[in-house]
Amino acid sequence: MEPTQGMPMTKDELGEKVQKLFQDFLEEYPRDSDVKKYIPQAKELTRPDRNTLVVDFSDVEKHDDRLKNAIHEQIYRLYPFLCNAVKNFVKDNQNAMSSSLPDSSAEKAQQINANKEFYIAFENVSQTSKLRELSTAKIGTLMSITAQVTRTHPVHPELVSGTFVCLDCQTVVKNVLQQFKYTQPASCKNPQCANRQRFSLDLNDSKFVDFQKVRIQEIQSELPRGCIPRSMEVILRAECVEKTQAGDRCEFIGTLIVVPDVSKLSSIGPRAETSARVNGSDDNEGVSGLKALGVRELSYKMAFLAYHVAPCNAKFGGKDFSVEDLTMDKLRQSMSDQEWLKIYEMSNDKNLVNNLCQSLFPTIYGNEEIKKGILLMLFGGVPKRTLEGTSLRGDINICIVGDPSTAKSHFLTQVEEFAPRAIYTCGKSSSAAGLTAAVCRDEESYEFVIEAGALMLADNGICCIDEFDKMDVKDQVAIHEAMEQQTISITKAGIRATLNARTSILAAANPIAGRYDRCKSLRYNINMSAPIMSRFDLFFILIDECNEVVDYWIAQRIVNFHTNDQQVIEQSRVYTIADIQKYITFARLCKPVIGKEAQEVMISEYKKLRQRESSNKSAWRITVRQLESMIRLSEALARMQLKEEVLVEHVQEAFRLLSKSIIRVEQPDVQFEENFDSAWTANKIQQPETLGAQEGEQMDTDNKDVQEKKQTMKLSYDEYKRISNMLVYYIRKKEEDIDTESEDSGGVHKSELVGWYLNEIESQIENEQQLNEQSCLIEKILHRLINYDNVIIKLDKLGLKSDGVEQKDENDPILVVHPNYVATD
């Protein structure tokens, strides 16, 4: 900034000294080698799209400890001098290269613009701080913070150094520094001009820089108990803009600054009375300046000025990569020999699946199928895009349904802690806008901006939703699009946008009655609509059963965890968390292709699933989405083994996992009581004439009683349900016929129902012994339907009037179906 009249420019001796020392560091480091580390980067800065030099702060510490301390303690004060050192370093290096090149060289023709500004950024800063620990004592010092981005603002130009023209005498005032607010010269340079307010900005000679503001929030692991996450605004400039998106977990390296709180300043509050109102004048005079704000106090807030942004991904060779820019070849070149050897060793592990499951979930005993399903979700399938532009998702969605105290929530918390980009939320306390995205008004600009929800924050990651069944129906409908198309469409408040939500959903739900009812299929046990269920690739059912061996090992694992948790965890893990993260990051870059034989097996297995649905053995309707689920699971299995082709064994394993979740839980066998009177069977069954006479019937009854004493009568649940539906269907059909016929017709008697059933299965009966077995079986089924299941009601008379038809034989009552009973598969 040029000195104004009567005010000489003061020099910062410390800043000039640091500038010289830092320029020497860039030119000399490392001292013991002829190859200087930062000279190649200086060559890159000559390109028009580059202007920031990234310096490893540990190198500064090794070179000069005093320089390191000065930068750490007063980075905000010394930052302009460090940028000048970088500018001089780049220009000197460019001049040295130009003098050694011939005049016709193309590189010599590329000269640096004299007005181009250069910036400095540091990485690997050891001074880290939590978002909650930032205080005024750390203002102006260099530090590193790790947080999650919740909102990003658009990039706009910021005035760094302005050139102003006096409107009275046309004098030019150059290099007026700007800092977070528009600043005009204090007065005109011309001593004969008394102008102090009337200036215009010369846009051609002023300097602008890209500016972006993002909002960050505390990471859940750093949040104290019972506290609300704190947020802070981060200011990004130059090459740091557009480096992060909502939902990213990043490391910001910079300094803490204080800026005026514009939102408080512009809010509605008491106004000072103008002189016009005091004097009683009717003139409409404007109000301007801080004096017109009356009793207001000018408040300030803290913000973080970031010089460098680094994503918190798995580091290969000490370098960070974004997901979009990664390729297998690029990642392989950046790996160290030790990292590549570890990945090669893990890929050749014959027991890789069990070792990975044991390392990820060391505190959970059993549930191997669920661990394997979650592991496949971490690897994911291969996303595809058709020629028409339709996107086919590769992420796998999993739902865990089970009884209380079966470690459902523990699975979710383990995945949320392990995955580099995961969000944990609860379905009951989450709204549709909180899960997808919300449109809210900015505090400063009063413009509508999009606030990212849980699914947006988990983009390219995992969204863990607990208590999924407690969500409202309208909230479940809101995530239909995100689960299949992996986008979120918003049309409100003048904003029309389609946002990415490329996330896998891991949900946990409780059954409707609290515990899983084995007598019902999956769709009748959970409070979910059919469209939501079809969007889940895998369903896992957890039932709390009493098993002496399982209970012993679960109790042993819990006791060991409570007494010596760290030692137990470390001993049970085969691979470290860092190794697993690197292996999954590398494996997700593999894109296996489905082979010809695997395609044929997929088609045949899908046909089996459809046929199984027709036989009412499926837990819910089988659609084409289940075929796509099989493809994704097969690709995930191939990725896990770093295979370039999906093999038949991968398809068969995917079909096994899919079948395990689609087939309903096996129902227990139905046991019938034997201590009830069955004498009516011998007397009342209306048998066909060809099956024997009265003496044969009495003999069969005696044989049947002896057989009941010898063995217990059992029947599978599916067979019991099939026979029950047959009986209910016959009774209701006869009731419809009775209503259409004469009023004198009686109801369906028990003997008539038994005789009809025996006639229906006549082709299956070959001898007299089988007849007696089926007669006894249908008698016991009717007894259970009447006395326990309350599906059938027996009546003593027909009609509601006193002249109703009385029942003549108590052993042969009239049977009707309960009016509220609905037949199920």
Side-chain angles (χ1 to χ4, degrees):
M1 176 177 172
E2 295 187 1
T4 58
Q5 184 67 23
M7 295 181 61
M9 173 68 79
T10 58
K11 292 185 178 181
D12 190 345
E13 296 181 358
L14 176 62
E16 293 178 352
K17 184 178 180 180
V18 168
Q19 177 178 336
K20 184 179 183 305
L21 291 175
F22 191 72
Q23 186 173 349
D24 295 340
F25 158 75
L26 295 176
E27 294 173 351
E28 298 176 1
Y29 186 83
R31 293 173 178 171
D32 55 352
S33 176
D34 295 335
V35 180
K36 305 306 177 183
K37 181 176 180 179
Y38 295 102
I39 289 181
Q41 294 190 30
K43 183 180 177 181
E44 289 289 326
L45 293 181
T46 58
R47 292 163 45 188
D49 58 333
R50 292 294 310 276
N51 57 10
T52 303
L53 178 67
V54 181
V55 176
D56 194 335
F57 199 65
S58 59
D59 296 342
V60 181
E61 185 177 4
K62 295 176 184 177
H63 183 81
D64 191 346
D65 192 59
R66 294 179 302 168
L67 178 61
K68 171 252 180 184
N69 292 332
I71 295 176
H72 166 62
E73 295 173 0
Q74 303 186 54
I75 179 64
Y76 188 66
R77 171 188 173 186
L78 302 176
Y79 188 76
F81 298 96
L82 297 176
C83 293
N84 290 335
V86 173
K87 186 174 184 179
N88 296 334
F89 170 64
V90 174
K91 286 187 176 181
D92 294 344
N93 184 67
Q94 179 71 11
N95 294 333
M97 291 177 57
S98 299
S99 60
S100 62
L101 294 173
D103 295 338
S104 60
S105 174
E107 296 184 5
K108 187 172 183 178
Q110 182 180 1
Q111 298 294 333
I112 301 176
N113 187 4
N115 295 327
K116 183 177 181 180
E117 292 292 332
F118 292 92
Y119 302 94
I120 183 69
F122 295 99
E123 63 179 1
N124 295 331
V125 177
S126 59
Q127 291 79 12
T128 60
S129 179
K130 296 181 180 179
L131 195 61
R132 192 172 290 268
E133 297 174 353
L134 298 180
S135 61
T136 56
K138 297 182 179 181
I139 294 176
T141 61
L142 184 64
M143 69 182 73
S144 170
I145 61 173
T146 302
Q148 190 168 32
V149 180
T150 58
R151 183 194 297 179
T152 59
H153 292 257
V155 179
H156 65 269
E158 182 192 21
L159 181 63
V160 177
S161 177
T163 300
F164 292 87
V165 179
C166 178
L167 296 179
D168 293 347
C169 63
Q170 304 301 317
T171 302
V172 178
V173 183
K174 295 184 177 181
N175 298 331
V176 180
L177 295 179
Q178 313 286 315
Q179 193 68 6
F180 306 114
K181 61 181 180 179
Y182 182 69
T183 305
Q184 289 186 352
S187 62
C188 182
K189 287 196 313 180
N190 189 356
Q192 299 178 358
C193 181
N195 180 24
R196 291 180 177 270
Q197 293 182 352
R198 295 178 298 277
F199 294 94
S200 65
L201 179 65
D202 187 358
L203 298 177
N204 294 327
D205 292 338
S206 300
K207 298 178 181 178
F208 294 88
V209 67
D210 291 335
F211 176 90
Q212 187 183 24
K213 188 170 59 175
V214 301
R215 181 180 291 274
I216 60 174
Q217 183 176 288
E218 274 184 298
I219 300 175
Q220 186 177 3
S221 59
E222 299 179 355
L223 187 65
R225 181 174 299 176
C227 296
I228 299 175
R230 292 187 181 178
S231 301
M232 179 176 286
E233 288 185 348
V234 176
I235 297 171
L236 305 177
R237 286 174 173 165
E239 291 187 10
C240 291
V241 300
E242 296 293 351
K243 282 287 188 70
T244 179
Q245 299 295 331
D248 291 342
R249 186 176 298 180
C250 299
E251 179 186 13
F252 299 91
I253 300 174
T255 183
L256 193 64
I257 59 175
V258 175
V259 295
D261 195 350
V262 181
S263 61
K264 296 282 185 65
L265 189 64
S266 59
S267 61
I268 300 176
R271 298 283 182 180
E273 294 184 353
T274 63
S275 59
R277 295 179 59 185
V278 172
N279 298 331
S281 174
D282 294 335
D283 295 335
N284 295 325
E285 297 182 0
V287 179
S288 62
L290 293 177
K291 293 181 180 179
L293 297 179
V295 297
R296 277 197 201 162
E297 296 180 357
L298 185 60
S299 58
Y300 294 86
K301 65 178 180 180
M302 288 193 297
F304 194 82
L305 179 60
Y307 305 128
H308 183 65
V309 180
C312 296
N313 296 332
K315 296 183 178 181
F316 291 91
K319 296 182 180 180
D320 290 325
F321 297 96
S322 61
V323 179
E324 291 78 6
D325 299 336
L326 274 178
T327 59
M328 293 192 73
D329 296 335
K330 183 178 179 181
L331 201 59
R332 170 68 183 91
Q333 294 173 2
S334 64
M335 284 185 191
S336 62
D337 295 337
Q338 185 178 2
E339 290 173 342
W340 174 250
L341 185 62
K342 187 65 178 178
I343 289 181
Y344 180 77
E345 176 188 344
M346 293 175 67
S347 63
N348 291 331
D349 187 2
K350 295 182 179 180
N351 201 20
L352 177 63
V353 177
N354 294 333
N355 290 337
L356 288 176
C357 293
Q358 185 65 26
S359 301
L360 284 179
F361 309 102
T363 59
I364 301 177
Y365 175 79
N367 299 326
E368 302 299 331
E369 298 296 336
I370 300 180
K371 294 178 182 178
K372 189 170 185 179
I374 294 177
L375 192 62
L376 294 179
M377 181 186 65
L378 293 173
F379 284 93
V382 180
K384 305 175 185 66
R385 194 172 187 86
T386 61
L387 297 177
E388 297 82 6
T390 305
S391 298
L392 302 177
R393 67 179 172 98
D395 297 300
I396 298 173
N397 301 324
I398 295 178
C399 184
I400 304 175
V401 182
D403 297 339
S405 183
T406 50
K408 300 188 299 298
S409 300
H410 198 59
F411 276 114
L412 271 63
T413 54
Q414 289 283 95
V415 172
E416 192 267 340
E417 293 175 1
F418 164 77
R421 185 162 182 167
I423 299 295
Y424 180 88
T425 183
C426 185
K428 183 62 177 177
S429 58
S430 299
S431 62
L435 287 173
T436 55
V439 176
C440 54
R441 193 184 292 271
D442 186 39
E443 298 93 353
E444 296 183 6
S445 63
Y446 291 98
E447 295 179 353
F448 286 104
V449 295
I450 296 176
E451 186 83 24
L455 295 176
M456 273 189 65
L457 294 176
D459 188 28
N460 287 322
I462 299 172
C463 183
C464 304
I465 305 177
D466 204 356
E467 306 292 345
F468 193 82
D469 58 305
K470 307 297 190 303
M471 292 175 58
D472 295 336
V473 178
K474 60 180 181 180
D475 297 334
Q476 289 187 1
V477 172
I479 64 175
H480 278 194
E481 179 187 3
M483 290 185 68
E484 189 63 34
Q485 283 76 30
Q486 296 197 314
T487 56
I488 297 173
S489 300
I490 292 181
T491 307
K492 60 176 68 174
I495 295 178
R496 184 178 181 274
T498 301
L499 311 171
N500 288 325
R502 297 159 297 184
T503 176
S504 299
I505 293 182
L506 177 60
N510 289 322
I512 294 177
R515 288 188 172 272
Y516 196 91
D517 188 359
R518 286 175 169 270
C519 298
K520 299 178 181 178
S521 60
L522 176 62
R523 55 188 160 190
Y524 299 108
N525 268 286
I526 55 178
N527 187 22
M528 290 188 196
S529 61
I532 284 283
M533 291 185 66
S534 66
R535 282 166 166 80
F536 281 105
D537 298 284
L538 290 176
F539 271 94
F540 291 108
I541 301 173
L542 290 174
I543 298 178
D544 188 12
E545 295 180 325
C546 295
N547 189 310
E548 184 177 356
V549 177
V550 175
D551 293 344
Y552 169 78
W553 285 109
I554 291 177
Q556 185 72 33
R557 183 68 61 89
I558 294 175
V559 170
N560 290 339
F561 177 71
H562 279 274
T563 54
N564 194 3
D565 54 354
Q566 289 297 331
Q567 184 177 357
V568 172
I569 291 175
E570 295 302 326
Q571 288 179 355
S572 58
R573 279 181 174 154
V574 182
Y575 302 116
T576 62
I577 296 297
D579 291 339
I580 299 176
Q581 288 179 341
K582 292 179 180 180
Y583 185 80
I584 292 178
T585 304
F586 185 79
R588 285 180 67 91
L589 300 177
C590 180
K591 297 182 180 180
V593 181
I594 303 176
K596 197 69 176 177
E597 297 180 358
Q599 293 179 12
E600 297 176 356
V601 175
M602 281 183 184
I603 296 173
S604 62
E605 301 293 2
Y606 173 69
K607 290 169 59 179
K608 290 181 182 178
L609 290 177
R610 294 284 291 183
Q611 293 172 359
R612 188 174 295 170
E613 181 202 2
S614 62
S615 61
N616 295 327
K617 291 185 179 181
S618 176
W620 75 91
R621 181 167 177 78
I622 304 300
T623 62
V624 184
R625 284 179 177 158
Q626 276 62 52
L627 175 60
E628 293 181 343
S629 299
M630 193 189 308
I631 295 175
R632 284 189 286 268
L633 293 171
S634 304
E635 292 172 345
L637 287 165
R639 272 184 167 181
M640 189 188 302
Q641 300 175 2
L642 298 181
K643 301 290 185 181
E644 296 181 354
E645 183 180 357
V646 177
L647 305 178
V648 176
E649 58 187 27
H650 300 149
V651 179
Q652 292 175 348
E653 179 64 19
F655 174 73
R656 188 189 68 82
L657 279 173
L658 200 60
S659 301
K660 199 173 185 63
S661 65
I662 287 178
I663 303 304
R664 65 190 181 195
V665 176
E666 291 296 331
Q667 310 293 338
D669 293 338
V670 179
Q671 296 185 3
F672 300 101
E673 292 188 3
E674 302 179 6
N675 296 326
F676 65 93
D677 189 14
S678 60
W680 69 273
T681 306
N683 300 321
K684 298 294 181 181
I685 292 182
Q686 299 178 1
Q687 296 182 4
E689 297 177 357
T690 57
L691 293 180
Q694 183 70 25
E695 293 80 2
E697 293 178 1
Q698 186 65 35
M699 186 182 300
D700 293 339
T701 304
D702 297 338
N703 294 335
K704 176 177 64 102
D705 294 338
V706 175
Q707 186 175 1
E708 286 180 352
K709 294 180 182 179
K710 291 182 180 180
Q711 60 182 3
T712 304
M713 180 72 71
K714 289 185 179 181
L715 189 66
S716 66
Y717 180 82
D718 291 338
E719 186 68 15
Y720 171 74
K721 204 68 178 175
R722 184 187 66 82
I723 298 176
S724 302
N725 290 338
M726 288 179 60
L727 300 177
V728 168
Y729 174 78
Y730 177 76
I731 295 176
R732 284 183 170 172
K733 187 174 182 301
K734 292 292 292 184
E735 289 176 353
E736 293 176 359
D737 296 340
I738 291 174
D739 292 339
T740 57
E741 295 175 359
S742 63
E743 297 180 356
D744 298 336
S745 300
V748 179
H749 288 268
K750 186 175 183 179
S751 57
E752 179 186 354
L753 184 62
V754 173
W756 169 82
Y757 174 75
L758 293 177
N759 285 330
E760 288 292 321
I761 62 171
E762 181 179 359
S763 60
Q764 303 175 11
I765 299 176
E766 297 180 353
N767 50 42
E768 204 169 340
Q769 182 180 359
Q770 291 183 1
L771 174 64
N772 295 331
E773 291 177 356
Q774 293 297 327
S775 301
C776 181
L777 177 63
I778 190 63
E779 177 187 352
K780 294 179 183 297
I781 291 176
L782 285 173
H783 179 77
R784 182 183 178 91
L785 291 174
I786 295 172
N787 298 300
Y788 294 96
D789 295 346
N790 296 322
V791 174
I792 297 178
I793 303 174
K794 61 180 180 179
L795 303 178
D796 54 352
K797 65 179 181 178
L798 287 177
L800 299 178
K801 298 180 181 180
S802 58
D803 57 350
V805 180
E806 294 290 341
Q807 183 69 18
K808 297 181 180 180
D809 191 352
E810 296 181 356
N811 292 328
D812 191 14
I814 298 174
L815 302 181
V816 296
V817 181
H818 196 285
N820 295 333
Y821 175 72
V822 178
T824 59
D825 295 338

